[in-house]
């Protein structure tokens, strides 16, 4: 009950709805509520990993010249599910990742979900054991697979699956196959299915790819009316500012309060929570919003969830609820920027960023104030 009262008092965030992190737990033993990159930068991806993804996109044409549509969000989607971008490891300037990332021993024991025996193929060269096989590196290649697609991407004359550059290029080559057109959804799905023959895995990776894709595009505000543009640009100008539980007001970022229902404090963080950001942006055009997400749903023209997100226009508030249709259960608000994107203060531990509208669960419609 205390947690519910706190949710009502100040808006907060919930885990990304379409993120199935069981694969991360299976491969690395680590689990995280995740997030996505902002505007093509590394809000939630270690900068050195993002560099590796982008470098691989530039290099893959040398090895698979007929491949089309390879983009860094595709590689980021795979790496997010396989290793959470190697977060928590040290990533050296040359791309070497330490400690190395090893999956479970694939000996059919059932541990970590493996039921098939994979005999050793590398004598422990890559996976550190000659007693069997296990996936390795940020993209979790089996050693046998790695030997067939490995390339030296960082110029050190060694193709190492524990190196971010080499692993990302290997993943790009593997996904490209003999020359797939990854701009076509069917071929992208086929590439991911080849990576892991599981429909749940494909859906999970596609969800992350879609979110990274949305985040990598700046919204087009050329034809947006003046006040709407002012609001949207005010919110966008805060990208990179930390999420702070209870933080933010009409003047800008402020120190938050303790504590969110997940136990994470904003008391030492200067930034915004979701309703603090919307309050700040709309203050730029003289509109004073209530402090909580649920209360903000009562302002302006309500846009029912039943109309779908296509009914939203830039500048609209976007709401998320535990029980869509019951505004009293709204837990989150953001500002729509067009093309399926929103500027979002998502949750503790993240920064303000562009997200896709489906990045949060429980879409509850919107409100138009201008």
């Amino acid at each position: 009950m205390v947690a519910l009262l706190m949710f009502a008092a100040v808006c907060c965030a919930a885990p990304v709805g379409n993120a199935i992190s069981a694969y991360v737990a299976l491969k690395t033993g680590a689990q995280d509520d995740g997030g996505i990159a902002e505007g093509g930068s590394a809000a939630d991806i270690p900068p050195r990993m993002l560099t590796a993804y982008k470098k691989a996109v530039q290099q893959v044409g040398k090895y698979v010249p007929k491949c089309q549509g390879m983009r860094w969000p595709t590689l980021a989607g795979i790496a997010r599910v396989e290793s959470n971008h190697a977060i928590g490891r040290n990533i050296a300037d040359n791309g070497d990742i330490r400690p190395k990332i090893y999956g479970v021993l694939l000996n059919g024991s059932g541990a970590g979900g493996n039921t098939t025996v994979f005999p050793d193929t590398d004598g422990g060269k890559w996976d550190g054991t000659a007693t069997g096989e296990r996936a390795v590196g940020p993209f979790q290649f089996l050693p046998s697979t790695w030997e067939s697609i490995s390339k030296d991407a960082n110029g050190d004359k060694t193709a190492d699956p524990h190196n971010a550059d080499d692993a990302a290029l290997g993943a790009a080559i593997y996904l490209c196959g003999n020359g797939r057109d990854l701009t076509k959804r069917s071929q992208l799905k086929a590439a991911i299915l080849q990576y892991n023959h599981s429909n749940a895995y494909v859906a999970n990776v596609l969800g992350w790819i879609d979110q990274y894709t949305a985040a990598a595009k700046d919204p087009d505000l050329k034809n947006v009316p003046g006040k709407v543009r002012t609001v949207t640009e005010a919110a966008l100008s805060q990208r990179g500012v930390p999420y702070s539980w209870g933080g933010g007001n009409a003047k800008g970022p402020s120190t938050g309060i303790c504590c969110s229902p997940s136990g994470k404090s904003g008391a030492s963080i200067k930034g915004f929570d979701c309703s603090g950001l919307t309050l700040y942006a709309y203050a730029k055009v003289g509109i004073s919003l209530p402090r909580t997400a649920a209360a903000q749903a009562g302002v302006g023209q309500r846009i029912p969830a039943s109309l779908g997100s296509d009914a939203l226009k830039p500048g609209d508030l976007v709401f998320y609820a535990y029980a869509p249709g019951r505004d009293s259960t709204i837990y989150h608000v953001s500002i729509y920027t067009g093309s399926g994107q929103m500027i979002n203060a998502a949750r503790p531990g993240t920064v303000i960023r562009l997200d896709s509208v489906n990045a949060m669960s429980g879409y509850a419609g919107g409100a138009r104030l201008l």
Side-chain angles (χ1 to χ4, degrees):
M1 179 60 71
V2 172
L4 290 175
L5 289 173
M6 292 190 75
F7 271 103
V10 184
C11 83
C12 70
V16 176
N18 63 354
I20 306 170
S21 54
Y23 293 98
V24 178
L26 170 64
K27 298 293 198 316
T28 68
Q31 201 157 352
D32 179 80
D33 66 358
I36 71 171
E38 165 269 312
S41 68
D44 287 327
I45 301 175
R48 187 60 184 84
M49 292 301 294
L50 185 61
T51 295
Y53 306 155
K54 292 182 176 180
K55 182 186 292 187
V57 172
Q58 295 172 349
Q59 294 177 326
V60 70
K62 176 181 177 181
Y63 302 100
V64 193
K66 293 183 180 180
C67 183
Q68 299 182 55
M70 175 55 68
R71 302 171 301 116
W72 74 257
T74 302
L75 297 174
I78 295 285
R80 173 58 178 83
V81 174
E82 292 294 345
S83 70
N84 195 20
H85 306 297
I87 288 173
R89 264 74 174 182
N90 178 63
I91 308 170
D93 290 343
N94 72 347
D96 286 344
I97 298 170
R98 299 293 184 271
K100 297 177 180 179
I101 303 173
Y102 295 117
V104 297
L105 187 63
L106 300 174
N107 57 6
S109 68
N114 88 90
T115 57
T116 303
V117 176
F118 286 79
D120 178 67
T121 63
D122 69 333
K125 177 182 178 181
W126 298 123
D127 64 4
T129 177
T131 62
E133 201 89 326
R134 55 183 180 177
V136 296
F139 284 88
Q140 288 291 277
F141 287 111
L142 290 177
S144 56
T145 302
W146 179 248
E147 289 298 334
S148 68
I149 49 91
S150 61
K151 300 295 178 184
D152 172 22
N154 69 344
D156 65 359
K157 299 182 180 180
T158 300
D160 184 349
H162 298 286
N163 176 274
D165 295 332
D166 296 352
L169 179 56
I173 291 170
Y174 189 71
L175 291 167
C176 279
N178 293 322
R180 289 191 177 96
D181 183 353
L182 299 176
T183 64
K184 296 180 179 179
R185 194 75 166 183
S186 61
Q187 294 194 37
L188 177 60
K189 287 182 178 179
I192 300 169
L193 195 63
Q194 173 186 293
Y195 207 100
N196 186 318
H197 201 73
S198 160
N199 289 328
Y201 179 89
V202 172
N204 188 19
V205 171
L206 285 174
W208 285 108
I209 290 173
D210 289 345
Q211 291 184 51
Y212 287 126
T213 298
K217 297 177 181 178
D218 282 327
D220 182 2
L221 302 177
K222 293 178 181 178
N223 299 316
V224 173
K227 286 189 175 182
V228 172
R229 183 168 183 169
T230 297
V231 167
T232 306
E233 289 183 340
L236 288 168
S237 72
Q238 300 304 307
R239 282 186 291 183
V241 173
Y243 181 100
S244 176
W245 180 266
N249 53 46
K251 295 181 180 180
S254 65
T255 302
I257 62 174
C258 183
C259 291
S260 74
S262 64
K264 297 181 180 179
S265 174
S268 61
I269 301 172
K270 187 175 183 180
F272 293 93
D273 65 10
C274 64
S275 56
L277 179 64
T278 55
L279 188 156
Y280 165 76
Y282 268 92
K284 294 296 183 182
V285 293
I287 295 177
S288 179
L289 292 179
R291 186 58 182 82
T292 68
Q296 289 179 5
V299 179
Q301 175 190 348
R302 196 73 166 87
I303 304 168
S306 60
L307 297 179
S309 60
D310 288 343
L312 297 171
K313 293 182 178 181
D316 288 348
L317 297 179
V318 188
F319 300 106
Y320 299 85
Y322 295 111
R326 293 173 55 194
D327 283 359
S328 62
T329 70
I330 286 175
Y331 71 89
H332 191 76
V333 62
S334 62
I335 296 176
Y336 189 66
T337 60
S339 302
Q341 296 174 282
M342 60 184 180
I343 185 69
N344 195 22
R347 62 182 63 82
T350 66
V351 297
I352 295 170
R353 66 209 186 186
L354 279 170
D355 275 351
S356 61
V357 171
N358 66 2
M360 312 297 295
S361 60
Y363 175 68
R368 187 162 299 148
L369 282 64
L370 293 170

